[in-house]
Amino acid sequence: MFVARSIAADHKDLIHDVSYDFHGRRMATCSSDQSIKVWDRGDNGEWTCTASWKTHSGSVWRVTWAHPEFGQVLASCSFDRTAIVWEEIVGESNDKQRGQSHWIKRTTLVDSRTSVTDVKFAPKHMGLMLTTCSADGVVRIYEAPDVMNLSQWSLQHEISSKLSCSCISWNPSSSRAHAPMIAVGSDDSNVTYGGKVQIYEYNEVTRKYAKAETLMTVTDAVHDIAFAPNLGRSFHVLAIATKDVRIFKLVPLRKDNSSSAPTKFEVQVLAQFDSHNSQVWRVSWNITSTLLASSGDDGCVRLWKANYMDNWKCTGVLKGNGSPVSGQPGALSGFLGSATAHSALNGCTHLVPHSVFLCMVFKSE
Amino acid sequence: MKNEPLPESLDCQDICPGNDIMSKLIPGAGFHQKHLGFEWGPGDLLVYETNYKLQGPRSASSPSVHVVRRDEDICSPILRKLFNESHLIFVGLQKIKEDVPSKNKKSQFVSISKNYRSVIRACMEELQQNAVSTQEGSLASQYGDQVSILLAIELIWNLCEVLFIDAAPAGSLLLHLLDWVRLHKSDVDTRAREVLQSDSPAQHQSYWDVVISLVLQGRTDEARQVLSKQASLRAESSSVFKRMDVLLQNMPIFNPAGTQTLTEFDVKWRHWHEECDRCLQDNTFASNRHLETICKILVGDEDTLLEQRELLSTWYHFLVTRLLFTHPTIKPPDLHYYAQSSMNMFLGPRASPEPLDIILLSAFEFDLHQVIKDCSIALNNWWFVAHLTDLLDHCKLLQSHNLHFGSNLREFLVLEYASGLFTHHSLWQLAVDYFDHCPEFGRVYLELQIERVPLDTERKAIKVLRICEDRQMSEQVRSICKIMAKRALRNNRLGSALSWSIRAKDAAFATLISERFLQDYSNKGFFTDLDLLDNLGPAMLLSDRLTFLGKYREFHRLYGEKRFSEAARLLLSLMTAKIAPRSLWMTLLTDALPLLEQKEVIFSVDQTYELMSCLEELNLGTKDSNQTDQDEDIESTKTELLRLALARNLAMAIVKEGTIET
């Protein structure tokens, strides 16, 4: 691994979220400076900021892209108790010449009475649906019935989880065997309140979301949650960022078809890592879910991988370093003995002008 | 094992061998308050400084986002050739399965293995040339590193080929191992040439090194040739040289193609070995220490062999030389004993073996899984393990190691390699074939990866689309078409948007675009994208509005071709068959005006009545309260004009029809 390039984000305050679009050609950044920036990657790999605008009247926690089938659409959520849907419009020609694009506010979702902590689009097979969760413990599911008109969103479901919500994740499975399912994490740190991860499932009969499972073993605050791509399997895999990284396997138990009760699951812990030492803040899967990344209080991003025997191991660590370092690129090295291996581990190619420099250990198995 | 949580403590011990390395690498890092945020991309990871606790001082400095790439090899233009050419070999190998009877397969597998190795060699040579020719120091050392990795890869591959794929029996085994050592210790040839081409080879400082090196590799004929240079110079000791020449000449070499049995060879070899031993006992070569050394090598004296450490340079060379002069009929199962002891003897008790040594040792122990596992750990590149494992699997050499979801080691490695290829802007096309040959998860991986390929141009989109269509990935096909349609519409390219939504079979979107076409028509008075509209064919039936658009355009075409009565009939049927939306009836009726005004009668009496009833129906139904006075004026003027024209036409039609009847 190596740092290919560094982009000066030019936000006036902390960046809270960076989000790639579906094809990895664009990214959006959001910050405590209340703005969102959109970046486009040129053919030469350079990133340029093509839009930057003030979005909310508070810190912007998360920004996320809709599937490109729905156009160029972003959603953001903020401390200002709102979530907003943005759409890029093809601007006037002089805008294009300046390499700038135009994002307009399509709707502001104001149902929450507290900070909106996460915003996610539902899997595209469900249509254009947006989900928010907020500190008051409510998960809201909105739908745009007409995908050509993004200014109309109707609140379809309100799920009250009773605990302050910090994160949501949709099960991406589009299999007919799996009902729409959403996992909700709570950052309430009171362990006596019980399980901090709740799983809700859509019921075709009642047309409502009902709680299918609470992960009772997760009693500490949960900061992030992520379903893995399903890969056509019968079970689901869920990663959780709490005081450690945990990977759960949810195996649906057979239920008789007539019952309208939600699916019950056999819950197994696939792996549990406390090498971040303290709180873990983010977890996320790569496209094929062969790698899980996590970020924690140790200031590191760690990469986790299951080998062909289903043993989970740390395969990489990224860490900030105060001083810029230069070194050899070394992906192929690290083979002919420990001396080479050590220099290879110091695999940094470029001198990075800014404060964070990343050094990493990488092994693959 | 799969159902139990892994013991926590074990995990942490196990997973972080890097811990002490890291603290060495980063002196006083000190960003304990700071966190690193991240975001997965298709081929990279974005990393940025942040603070999840939202307490403490905010940094005033402007934060950066770092793009961290995982696999830089993918980007190397030279390795690209390796990826491309090995892809062809891989695809060829997958085809063997079906159409060759199993007994002929072995030779095919060996030749495929050789093909892979020659691709590695070609790549290595190119890297070597680049390393020499480049001006930039860091680039040269980068090339140099890659060469040494490829060298090691080829070394391991070649050994696996000898031991596993060719699986030579006793006798031939040693010959293959000798070839292996010769190939990877080729500097002997360079030095021999250097010596022989010098003015007085016998005086050359490397003379004896060359002779001994040749003997160590069992190249007795060449050794004799070089020795003869010395013999001719030293008349006084020519008998000793002559004696050595005979010894070397008589050294039996097993001929697998010959009629000689292994036992016969063994007897002959023992006889020769005793003769060498006798020479040593007789002090035949006492007068020349070099010849004495050679003779000791010939009897396989281990101390003497170890003294040639410099010339042997590796323990595995030592192993093969040792076997050549002590156990030329070594059987495969006995190899591991000699390998282990040779390594220990050669490296000495203090030196710890390096990863490459361990891998080769595992190979000599015929522990295939260990070889693959250690290679995966030592190499940060899946090319080698994926291709080697695939080949070994085809040779039926892997017992299947099940993943928890039923895939095997081969598939695991091939999937990893192919996923890596997918991060490259053009190599991803190779990956498709690799996924195709992963029966368990190949398809799902391909589905997940291919929809992420950026659809920069229509051409690229069509390329991606074709791959999906060939594999009946209907959801991906639909999604790609939908994305393209949406994008075209955004950029106001209606024709492209329409053809993509037809491909996506997206009726709702096709309706929407048809509306836009009609809107465009009523604004501009002409149609765009005639090519598309005139050739809709059965695709027209995707949505009612699209059907109307197609038919309406057909009307215009007929009119343009002056086929008035056909045009008139079509126009009328659009309204009477309710294909045209009510909102467009006025436009359609207005379109009828010029036909009504023609000199000859086009609309028959019945047709005119029908037109009239359409007009009245329209006027009854649409009293739009939103219309402005001005709009209303225009509408009523239009209606009046139409009524007039219709009445006139009716009159003419009655006259005409009456005339014909009589």
Side-chain angles (χ1 to χ4, degrees):
Chain A
M1 299 211 295
F2 65 108
V3 176
R5 65 182 74 238
S6 296
I7 306 144
D10 204 29
H11 275 290
K12 303 284 180 289
D13 207 332
L14 276 180
I15 296 177
H16 293 298
D17 199 15
V18 174
S19 178
Y20 259 123
D21 79 334
F22 189 72
H23 291 120
R25 282 304 180 93
R26 318 189 80 184
M27 66 168 169
T29 56
C30 66
S31 158
S32 266
D33 69 8
Q34 308 181 353
S35 74
I36 291 179
K37 288 176 195 280
V38 172
W39 306 75
D40 283 78
R41 199 178 76 192
D43 291 333
N44 56 2
E46 288 290 344
W47 287 92
T48 43
C49 179
T50 53
S52 171
W53 71 103
K54 184 173 180 303
T55 51
H56 288 268
S57 54
S59 288
V60 189
W61 299 137
R62 299 258 196 172
V63 61
T64 187
W65 295 82
H67 193 277
E69 275 183 27
F70 304 111
Q72 296 298 305
V73 179
L74 282 172
S76 58
C77 67
S78 162
F79 182 70
D80 73 3
R81 307 174 190 181
T82 67
I84 300 183
V85 177
W86 309 92
E87 186 174 23
E88 186 184 38
I89 51 166
V90 178
E92 291 143 28
S93 55
N94 58 345
D95 271 350
K96 262 191 188 159
Q97 276 161 14
R98 284 186 294 120
Q100 291 298 300
S101 66
H102 236 73
W103 289 81
I104 57 171
K105 186 191 292 186
R106 287 302 187 196
T107 197
T108 306
L109 305 169
V110 294
D111 300 283
S112 172
R113 278 178 290 272
T114 53
S115 172
V116 181
T117 48
D118 199 357
V119 62
K120 295 270 161 68
F121 284 100
K124 71 162 191 294
H125 65 266
M126 294 170 58
L128 185 52
M129 294 183 106
L130 189 67
T131 323
T132 63
C133 72
S134 49
D136 58 10
V138 182
V139 176
R140 293 181 175 86
I141 301 174
Y142 299 88
E143 182 173 16
D146 175 7
V147 296
M148 297 310 295
N149 180 3
L150 298 186
S151 38
Q152 270 181 27
W153 292 79
S154 57
L155 179 58
Q156 294 286 328
H157 303 278
E158 262 187 327
I159 307 168
S160 176
S161 83
K162 309 216 167 49
L163 290 170
S164 160
C165 296
S166 55
C167 48
I168 39 184
S169 175
W170 280 98
N171 182 351
S173 172
S174 60
S175 157
R176 272 158 214 240
H178 302 139
M181 185 196 290
I182 188 167
V184 182
S186 164
D187 57 356
D188 193 306
S189 53
N190 189 333
V191 294
T192 58
Y193 289 172
K196 296 295 164 22
V197 174
Q198 299 174 354
I199 291 159
Y200 294 89
E201 193 189 56
Y202 183 67
N203 189 309
E204 289 288 350
V205 180
T206 60
R207 302 193 172 194
K208 283 201 167 85
Y209 280 84
K211 194 190 289 180
E213 194 66 56
T214 302
L215 301 185
M216 295 310 292
T217 54
V218 186
T219 51
D220 291 274
V222 168
H223 307 291
D224 200 11
I225 195 163
F227 271 109
N230 179 265
L231 303 181
R233 301 175 295 209
S234 61
F235 58 88
H236 314 292
V237 175
L238 184 67
I240 290 167
T242 171
K243 61 170 180 175
D244 47 21
V245 177
R246 264 180 247 186
I247 304 171
F248 285 93
K249 179 174 168 180
L250 307 174
V251 189
L253 298 174
R254 196 178 286 276
K255 64 170 183 181
D256 61 294
N257 290 331
S258 57
S259 161
S260 65
T263 314
K264 285 290 159 204
F265 295 95
E266 183 195 332
V267 181
Q268 302 165 8
V269 181
L270 284 181
Q272 186 165 1
F273 309 109
D274 60 5
S275 28
H276 282 295
N277 296 324
S278 182
Q279 297 299 308
V280 183
W281 297 93
R282 284 283 173 104
V283 281
S284 172
W285 299 93
N286 68 348
I287 293 174
T288 47
S289 72
T290 51
L291 280 168
L292 177 74
S294 63
S295 169
D297 266 350
D298 59 351
C300 294
V301 173
R302 292 174 185 272
L303 303 183
W304 311 93
K305 181 171 185 56
N307 71 0
Y308 60 96
M309 301 293 285
D310 205 21
N311 283 324
W312 287 86
K313 288 192 170 187
C314 179
T315 62
V317 181
L318 288 84
K319 190 176 170 64
N321 181 11
S323 54
V325 186
S326 68
Q328 287 293 313
L332 261 178
S333 342
F335 192 21
L336 297 170
S338 49
T340 345
H342 279 228
S343 68
L345 294 175
N346 197 355
C348 313
T349 19
H350 302 289
L351 211 69
V352 176
H354 296 281
S355 62
V356 172
F357 193 76
L358 306 158
C359 278
M360 54 232 84
V361 183
F362 192 86
K363 289 176 83 193
S364 44
E365 186 183 345
Chain B
M1 48 138 283
K2 57 206 171 202
N3 292 338
E4 296 158 29
L6 297 167
E8 217 172 313
S9 58
L10 180 126
D11 268 352
C12 297
Q13 298 289 307
D14 214 26
I15 50 169
C16 288
N19 261 348
D20 59 354
I21 300 170
M22 284 245 331
S23 52
K24 260 184 235 158
L25 282 176
I26 305 166
F31 267 98
H32 300 300
Q33 264 78 351
K34 291 279 179 176
H35 296 127
L36 284 182
F38 66 89
E39 162 77 353
W40 280 111
D44 46 27
L45 195 65
L46 298 176
V47 177
Y48 54 96
E49 254 185 300
T50 188
N51 185 349
Y52 289 116
K53 279 182 180 160
L54 308 170
Q55 291 159 4
R58 295 255 172 94
S59 73
S61 75
S62 150
S64 288
V65 176
H66 307 276
V67 182
V68 180
R69 282 199 68 93
R70 241 187 103 197
D71 194 349
E72 63 190 302
D73 292 345
I74 291 288
C75 311
S76 157
I78 296 162
L79 291 181
R80 209 193 142 103
K81 201 174 283 175
L82 177 72
F83 301 140
N84 268 316
E85 288 180 16
S86 52
H87 162 255
L88 291 177
I89 304 173
F90 175 87
V91 171
L93 173 58
Q94 312 306 311
K95 286 185 185 142
I96 283 188
K97 224 172 193 171
E98 302 108 44
D99 46 16
V100 178
S102 61
K103 59 176 179 182
N104 301 339
K105 277 183 183 171
K106 184 165 144 183
S107 64
Q108 289 221 30
F109 290 143
V110 172
S111 96
I112 280 172
S113 176
K114 291 200 163 113
N115 288 345
Y116 275 128
R117 286 199 293 119
S118 71
V119 173
I120 303 175
R121 291 218 150 243
C123 205
M124 217 150 56
E125 273 159 31
E126 196 177 336
L127 276 167
Q128 192 82 61
Q129 279 168 13
N130 279 295
V132 174
S133 63
T134 185
Q135 304 293 320
E136 210 181 311
S138 69
L139 203 60
S141 76
Q142 193 186 331
Y143 286 144
D145 282 353
Q146 290 188 333
V147 168
S148 53
I149 298 304
L150 287 179
L151 260 172
I153 286 178
E154 210 264 340
L155 179 77
I156 299 169
W157 191 305
N158 195 351
L159 184 61
C160 290
E161 178 183 306
V162 169
L163 297 177
F164 303 119
I165 301 169
D166 211 355
S172 310
L173 175 63
L174 184 72
L175 298 177
H176 282 111
L177 288 175
L178 273 173
D179 286 339
W180 173 63
V181 160
R182 285 170 192 160
L183 187 62
H184 293 93
K185 186 86 179 76
S186 54
D187 61 332
V188 179
D189 299 85
T190 329
R191 288 175 85 185
R193 215 174 303 123
E194 208 177 281
V195 167
L196 289 174
Q197 283 168 357
S198 67
D199 293 338
S200 49
Q203 313 296 233
H204 197 282
Q205 55 172 352
S206 302
Y207 177 81
W208 284 106
D209 282 354
V210 166
V211 177
I212 291 174
S213 295
L214 289 171
V215 173
L216 290 171
Q217 293 194 353
R219 296 156 72 170
T220 48
D221 287 343
E222 289 161 86
R224 286 172 58 213
Q225 207 189 333
V226 182
L227 265 182
S228 68
K229 303 281 175 191
Q230 189 82 291
S232 57
L233 278 178
R234 301 197 189 180
E236 81 281 4
S237 55
S238 65
S239 67
V240 201
F241 277 89
K242 183 81 195 149
R243 188 84 188 87
M244 178 53 74
D245 190 57
V246 171
L247 277 184
L248 289 172
Q249 190 180 10
N250 288 347
M251 179 176 174
I253 302 290
F254 181 69
N255 177 10
T259 51
Q260 189 184 38
T261 66
L262 199 60
T263 328
E264 284 166 349
F265 165 76
D266 199 41
V267 170
K268 209 172 153 197
W269 183 84
R270 275 173 204 286
H271 187 74
W272 171 82
H273 193 262
E274 278 160 23
E275 202 177 312
C276 296
D277 211 24
R278 212 169 305 124
C279 286
L280 215 52
Q281 304 300 329
D282 297 351
N283 286 326
T284 310
F285 301 111
S287 61
N288 186 317
R289 66 183 173 91
H290 297 297
L291 293 182
E292 175 104 350
T293 305
I294 294 173
C295 191
K296 280 182 176 168
I297 293 171
L298 293 184
V299 298
D301 182 77
E302 278 169 0
D303 292 331
T304 312
L305 284 176
L306 283 171
E307 281 163 23
Q308 313 306 320
R309 199 182 298 267
E310 295 280 308
L311 297 179
L312 290 166
S313 78
T314 58
W315 65 268
Y316 43 89
H317 192 335
F318 169 62
L319 163 71
V320 175
T321 305
R322 186 181 164 207
L323 291 173
L324 173 66
F325 296 114
T326 57
H327 299 278
T329 57
I330 180 89
K331 296 190 201 65
D334 299 333
L335 259 181
H336 76 274
Y337 162 72
Y338 290 98
Q340 180 75 58
S341 69
S342 296
M343 192 176 92
N344 293 345
M345 285 162 76
F346 192 84
L347 296 179
R350 272 165 301 147
S352 60
E354 293 172 1
L356 179 60
D357 301 326
I358 310 258
I359 291 167
L360 293 175
L361 191 61
S362 303
F364 283 122
E365 288 166 353
F366 288 86
D367 189 345
L368 252 182
H369 281 126
Q370 197 62 39
V371 172
I372 293 163
K373 225 174 117 179
D374 287 349
C375 287
S376 318
I377 295 172
L379 285 162
N380 196 357
N381 162 306
W382 299 96
W383 180 87
F384 171 59
V385 276
H387 287 92
L388 181 65
T389 309
D390 173 57
L391 179 56
L392 295 174
D393 190 40
H394 276 92
C395 302
K396 301 264 180 291
L397 287 165
L398 296 175
Q399 317 141 357
S400 75
H401 254 220
N402 284 335
L403 277 165
H404 69 298
F405 30 73
S407 186
N408 58 25
L409 177 61
R410 170 196 169 273
E411 176 155 327
F412 176 84
L413 295 170
V414 174
L415 287 174
E416 285 292 341
Y417 172 65
S419 300
L421 287 179
F422 243 103
T423 64
H424 189 274
H425 62 88
S426 66
L427 290 175
W428 65 268
Q429 295 170 76
L430 305 179
V432 174
D433 287 317
Y434 286 90
F435 282 139
D436 279 349
H437 291 102
C438 292
E440 200 68 34
F441 284 102
R443 188 182 167 97
V444 189
Y445 270 57
L446 182 59
E447 286 173 356
L448 287 169
Q449 295 278 6
I450 202 150
E451 57 183 14
R452 302 278 179 161
V453 173
L455 309 168
D456 305 317
T457 57
E458 297 241 336
R459 230 182 102 201
K460 192 163 175 195
I462 285 166
K463 195 185 271 179
V464 176
L465 197 65
R466 193 152 300 150
I467 290 169
C468 295
E469 281 171 348
D470 289 347
R471 288 157 185 79
Q472 278 97 44
M473 297 183 171
S474 50
E475 172 49 27
Q476 280 68 27
V477 168
R478 192 202 57 75
S479 186
I480 290 164
C481 295
K482 182 80 201 260
I483 292 169
M484 294 306 288
K486 181 84 190 175
R487 187 188 298 168
L489 183 66
R490 255 166 57 85
N491 294 315
N492 253 322
R493 289 182 289 115
L494 289 184
S496 170
L498 183 58
S499 61
W500 280 111
S501 56
I502 288 172
R503 269 187 111 144
K505 299 197 176 57
D506 185 338
F509 211 64
T511 300
L512 191 121
I513 295 164
S514 305
E515 301 262 7
R516 291 281 295 272
F517 261 106
L518 294 167
Q519 222 172 54
D520 242 33
Y521 170 75
S522 64
N523 293 341
K524 294 182 193 158
F526 60 89
F527 279 113
T528 54
D529 301 286
L530 294 181
D531 249 11
L532 176 66
L533 295 184
D534 286 345
N535 296 295
L536 282 172
M540 201 187 281
L541 302 173
L542 180 61
S543 93
D544 289 351
R545 199 52 48 88
L546 182 59
T547 313
F548 170 70
L549 175 64
K551 289 288 173 197
Y552 187 48
R553 161 59 200 156
E554 197 179 322
F555 159 74
H556 282 267
R557 195 165 47 84
L558 291 172
Y559 183 85
E561 289 165 5
K562 302 212 184 303
R563 292 153 72 182
F564 295 131
S565 57
E566 284 168 78
R569 212 177 308 132
L570 180 58
L571 188 70
L572 189 59
S573 72
L574 285 177
M575 282 180 285
T576 52
K578 313 280 182 216
I579 296 170
R582 189 65 67 83
S583 58
L584 287 165
W585 280 22
M586 188 48 97
T587 318
L588 261 60
L589 287 167
T590 319
D591 284 330
L593 261 179
L595 289 171
L596 295 168
E597 304 288 335
Q598 293 288 326
K599 268 189 208 124
E600 57 179 311
V601 180
I602 293 163
F603 286 104
S604 69
V605 175
D606 292 345
Q607 286 176 325
T608 314
Y609 280 130
E610 281 185 289
L611 278 176
M612 287 170 134
S613 79
C614 286
L615 181 63
E616 295 317 310
E617 196 181 327
L618 191 61
N619 280 333
L620 278 175
T622 60
K623 270 284 163 264
D624 197 341
S625 54
N626 289 336
Q627 274 183 344
T628 61
D629 292 348
Q630 200 185 2
D631 280 345
E632 221 166 310
D633 276 356
I634 295 174
E635 288 302 300
S636 61
T637 317
K638 260 189 195 167
T639 310
E640 286 313 309
L641 270 173
L642 274 167
R643 280 189 182 135
L644 189 62
L646 285 166
R648 270 214 305 257
N649 190 74
L650 184 60
M652 283 162 69
I654 290 170
V655 169
K656 189 186 166 203
E657 282 169 32
T659 313
I660 288 166
E661 269 170 9
T662 52

